[in-house]
Amino acid sequence: MQLSLSVHRMSWRAPLRTAQAREPPPRPLVLLRLETADGLVGFGEAAPLAHYDGVTLEAVLGALRTYTPILAAATTEADPGLLAACRRARPVAQALAAVDLALWDLAGQRAGQPVWRLLGADVAAPVAVNAVIGAVLPAAAAAEAAAALEAGYDTVKVKVAAGDDGARIAAVREAIGSGPALRVDANGGWAGVAVAVAEIEALAGAHLELVEEPVHGAAGIAAVAQRVTVPVFGDESAPELLTGSGAPPAAVSAPSGSGPHPAAVPHSAVAGVCLKVAAAGGISGLLTQAHRAREAGWDVLIASTLDGPLGIAAALHAAVAVAPARACGLATLDRFAATNPLPVRAGRLNLPGGPGLGGAFSAWYGAHGI
Ligand SMILES: [Mg+2]
């Protein structure tokens, strides 16, 4: 199979203000095109976000170049060892995701079926998604929340750990009333477990649905989760939580006589994890993580790393298979200046039509090539 790559830089219409206060640069996306010997073409997307996850565009392109001869030597896209061979060559999740998406796209096109059907689902119900409000001033947050409610969202997420969280959250709850779910996301921005616990308790009057990533690190998140009544979800630390799911990591076993170790908190206190196509290494990796999370008794959300439309489409196919009980964090394409090919309707995203990942997204990328 022949692999080709193109890099696209997306301008923001509305960059999201988070606990990381910096204005993000244009968003790089890598479009991967994989053509089989008989002329079938599948597309994948790599979505590194260096200012957020530390994964650079160069690291992803380097990994994808390492995969090129492996894919070139493959005689069929159905070789079940292809992705593992790429991972052994260079384990970069965002690069592996691009390959995985293209392989699912090809598999769907070969079968004449959408990917969600290959994943075992019978119907593709629209996926409920949450509105996202940045760490803006209370009046602006309230106006955005009211607009989200008007547009049909029933879950609103607000960024916290920046500015006056209490006033912002109170303004949003006031704007949406008591019915809709209100969740907060600290992006690991609170300075330690004690601060996070105090901040969450101070927001409890707003009846939060959940809090994402109060602090970074599995042990810290578990410690916060044990001390608050609001359900706590790991997001950026989800891979670390999943590695040591259900038990303290082996590395923190306290030597005898050293007393209790602060990291030896049962991770079972955590309520759930946010899973992402880019961080999970694609649809296949996300499904494995979802299975592992549920085995640990955790709830699962599917979210975006400000992906392009192929990444969002892939997450929607995965969401149909995983069927999360709560709204997913996939309503992010409107953040780009470009026209949104997957608009949210009444708080829900419809699966793109057609076989494979669906949709005709290559034109969208083509309009933003450099
Ligand atoms: Mg988050």
Side-chain angles (χ1 to χ4, degrees):
M1 290 185 290
Q2 200 167 7
L3 178 151
S4 54
L5 304 171
S6 54
V7 177
H8 307 263
R9 290 188 193 275
M10 308 309 305
S11 312
W12 300 104
R13 180 186 62 79
L16 199 54
R17 201 168 157 231
T18 69
Q20 306 176 330
R22 284 172 293 165
E23 179 88 358
R27 201 251 184 280
L29 291 173
V30 182
L31 181 66
L32 181 152
R33 182 183 188 277
L34 198 54
E35 182 167 356
T36 64
D38 60 349
L40 210 56
V41 176
F43 287 99
E45 173 193 288
L49 198 57
H51 74 270
Y52 171 75
D53 56 20
V55 180
T56 64
L57 176 63
E58 292 70 30
V60 161
L61 290 174
L64 288 169
R65 286 189 201 105
T66 310
Y67 307 158
T68 302
I70 297 168
L71 295 164
T75 52
T76 167
E77 76 275 5
D79 178 349
L82 264 182
L83 200 65
C86 292
R87 186 181 296 111
R88 279 194 304 275
R90 202 178 288 191
V92 177
Q94 287 74 7
L96 290 165
V99 175
D100 180 75
L101 264 55
L103 292 174
W104 278 110
D105 195 25
L106 284 171
Q109 291 184 49
R110 186 74 73 192
Q113 299 282 350
V115 169
W116 56 264
R117 204 180 284 282
L118 302 188
L119 299 178
D122 295 324
V123 290
V127 176
V129 291
N130 62 270
V132 189
I133 297 172
V136 295
L137 291 172
E144 285 188 45
L149 198 65
E150 180 73 23
Y153 287 94
D154 48 27
T155 301
V156 173
K157 178 168 102 171
V158 183
K159 296 291 185 180
V160 291
D164 189 348
D165 293 338
R168 186 181 325 109
I169 296 304
V172 168
R173 177 52 89 194
E174 165 106 22
I176 62 177
S178 59
L182 170 55
R183 62 178 72 158
V184 297
D185 187 356
N187 291 107
W190 281 319
V193 170
V195 171
V197 169
E199 295 286 349
I200 293 167
E201 282 175 351
L203 299 174
H207 304 290
L208 300 180
E209 177 205 15
L210 59 92
V211 54
E212 285 180 28
E213 195 82 1
V215 293
H216 284 320
I221 291 172
V224 173
Q226 224 184 22
R227 291 169 58 185
V228 298
T229 52
V230 177
V232 174
F233 276 55
D235 183 354
E236 290 85 347
S237 298
E240 189 191 337
L241 277 162
L242 288 161
T243 308
S245 61
V252 301
S253 305
S256 60
S258 69
H261 192 290
V265 171
H267 291 182
S268 54
V270 174
V273 283
C274 302
L275 304 180
K276 295 170 172 170
V277 164
I283 293 172
S284 309
L286 191 150
L287 295 180
T288 301
Q289 289 186 345
H291 180 72
R292 204 179 297 158
R294 284 178 168 162
E295 277 192 330
W298 294 335
D299 208 347
V300 169
L301 284 182
I302 297 177
S304 138
T305 318
L306 298 168
D307 301 357
L310 264 167
I312 297 294
L316 290 173
H317 286 279
V320 167
V322 170
R326 301 169 190 265
C328 285
L330 297 171
T332 54
L333 283 171
D334 273 338
R335 297 270 159 199
F336 296 125
T339 307
N340 182 354
L342 289 171
V344 179
R345 306 265 186 238
R348 278 155 181 73
L349 275 169
N350 287 300
L351 275 286
L357 291 175
F361 300 129
S362 54
W364 188 91
Y365 294 89
H368 305 284
I370 56 166

